[in-house]
Amino acid sequence: MTQRVGIEVSRSIAIAVKLANVDVVSAYPITPQTHIVEDISELVANGELDASYIPVESEHSAMSACLGASAVGARTFTATAGQGLELMHEVLYVASFMRLPIVMAVADRALSAPISIWGDHSDVMAVRDTGWIQIFAANGQETFDNVLCAFRIAEDRRVLLPVMIHLDGFQLTHVIEPIYILESSEVDKFLPPHEYPLPLDPDRPITMGGLAPPNIYTETKKAQQVNLTAAKEVILQAWKEFGDIFGRYYSPVESYRCEGAKVILLAMGSFSETAMSAVDSMREEGKEVGLIKLCLWRPFPFAELRQAVKDADTLLVLDRALSFGGPGGPVASEIRSALYGLDKRPKVIGFVGGLGGRVISPSGFREIINRGIEISQAGSEQEFEMFGVRE
Amino acid sequence: MTKPGGELTWKDLEIGAVMTEPGNASQYQTGDWRTQRPVHEHSRCIKCGLCAIFCPEGCIEPNEEGFFEANLFYCKGCGICARECWTKAITMVEEE
Amino acid sequence: MEKYAVFVPKLIAKRESFAPGHRACVGCGEALAVRQACKALGRDAIIVNATGCMEVIATPIPYTSWRLPWIHTLFENAAATASGVEAGLKAMVRKGKRPAKEIRVVAMAGDGGTSDIGLQALSGALERGHDFLYICFDNEAYMNTGIQRSSATPYGASTTTAPAGKLSIGQVTWKKNMPAIAAAHDIPYVATACPSYPFDLMAKVEKGVSTPGPAYIHILSVCPTGWRCAPDLTVRIGRLAVETGIFPLYEIENGKYKLTIDVPQLRPVRDYLKLQGRFRHLSEEKVLEIQNRVNVDYARLKEKVACSQKLNS
């Protein structure tokens, strides 16, 4: 029987990993990811999860060991954050191109220097183009559910791609929330055993990871692009089926109180939860504002996003990362590009805030929305504004 | 026969561009790199096979009579076999 | 040459797991070493290869020289990837997801991939005690990228990033002692080998993969392109490396040293150096310096062997 328990979100990930009956976990400790891997180690040490836990000496090796384990057909999980994700950087490309369905929880964290152990999306944006499926969770339940969905999506024969589940460092990893924890028998209905089609096996020797000369590299990249783009359909199916079984439905772009909204704020991760209360209070005041939560980051949900903003005049995008010397927030930049070809499109106004663990309160979100409306009416010479910075 | 890389479309590739025909590089001729070729003099050959063990290409094999000979489809003409042969049964001859 | 060499070549495995048609340079000592090593591995093995010459010359898509399951991911992570392969196989066998068949996991990398960029991953894998064999094919520089120096390049060798010139003899540091570093992890088996001694090499590879836990084999692989020597001298130069004491062949089994090829009277290092263009510029004085260093190193190794013999008796 499914139970709703108060539990730290990191711990719920460990339970999801156990429920998925993972074969190999390879990880290196980094704040704020540590609670996830500590709990998994404990489950392994107690015999509650039959897995090989590889306590590697770096994140580079953590992901490299995942490649090896996944290549022999093992169900494989890891978790990291911030600098760890950066140290994995080049390995991430290998996982996706080689079609290794590794699942990774990322406790999103700011990047050095200066060193910051707290949350933002600088690490995520730096790995945007690594070819992974990337899903953002906004709360504990979404995190738990999506870790299970991630295995299902990653291992689908039509997909065979690695998946990152993003959750904000501390602001989500370390909070205790009421979460419906599924029973193993229920999970088994949703998540079939993993059977990798082309594992390393002496009975059927294959060569993985060969050299691509110029006469074939482009074809390999086209295949990768088609594969990742097509994965969206499978993601939608998996979420639909998850919803049909467990009653909780997910979608790439979630709209909150967007009916008739001329001004829409777009946020990702746990901030979208806080932004909801700002939207609620402004709606009560009669302001036509709404919120969009971008849950699927890769493959990018072009159609769903265009549909969600089609009636808005102004779209405010909050980024928790900064593209230095560029157009500001990477998400705003992508969204401008996604909407540019439309005849009728909202004006996109970018904000950068919530860096390195800086909290944005509901009143802060109200400020952002009001400022956005102001810019929208008056115009601005700047590409974006940094929110909450002391001048 | 595997199609050459330049003729493959993206749809022809296995997942992750994995190669599923073990050792299909053996259809690739490396013998045309050669500037000199080994000539085996059977009267001196004691069929020890040392030349085969020292061949970086792995292209020296015994013929039906047990005499070792290089497969010239692959032999790059390095001359290690001639240098190492105990009985000096192999000489390197310039390719024309 | 080993005593029985003339009689036994016919007894070794005929199977070529490393197919011809590979694009290694003419007279490549590394391709030769890989070929010999594979004969000792048998067919139930998985190879994890670091980026380097062997990956480039043997797997240009869509052609592969490999008849064993083989994976290459990156340059510095062969040991880490192999850790995952080993742990994955173990877990799957334990959970009944794979048949309980022994599969040998073998990581292969060059000297750069081992003693420089891959050292951390290797140290981690050795320390964690994975059941695998790591083979370093040492051609003493970054040959794949064009003969740049590595920490395994010997003193006095001229390379493209440590060239000999008016003010330099080329490499000014002594070769990093990688087998000693591996041995410092207290792993059950460490050995050096050279394809000029094929039976010694194959015996060590066989021993290495059969040893439970991590094993490390360091194979000197003559590179005619980078060492500036005639390609037909590959095997001869490897033999001279051993006969001069520059690259002694030994093994360390559970901490005990043993010379597997004992050279009663070392030849002068000059015999080895003079055949290679990379040492051509060295003065007599420098050659003497190298000779002195080799004498000391070899004497130290002999001491360790003697000490191990005492422990045995």
Side-chain angles (χ1 to χ4, degrees), chain A residues 23 50 90 200 207 209 211, chain C residues 61 64 76 94-95 98:
Chain A
D23 301 312
D50 185 1
E90 63 162 350
L200 291 169
T207 296
L211 170 88
Chain C
I61 298 168
T64 177
E76 67 276 54
R94 196 172 61 233
K95 294 167 91 166
R98 261 191 184 250

Side-chain angles (χ1 to χ4, degrees), chain C residues 136-169:
Chain C
C136 170
F137 294 96
D138 179 8
N139 53 23
E140 304 196 316
Y142 292 91
M143 298 311 184
N144 189 37
T145 42
I147 325 171
Q148 292 84 17
R149 66 85 74 180
S150 78
S151 60
T153 304
Y155 181 79
S158 184
T159 57
T160 55
T161 52
K166 279 182 192 160
L167 299 178
S168 178
I169 57 156

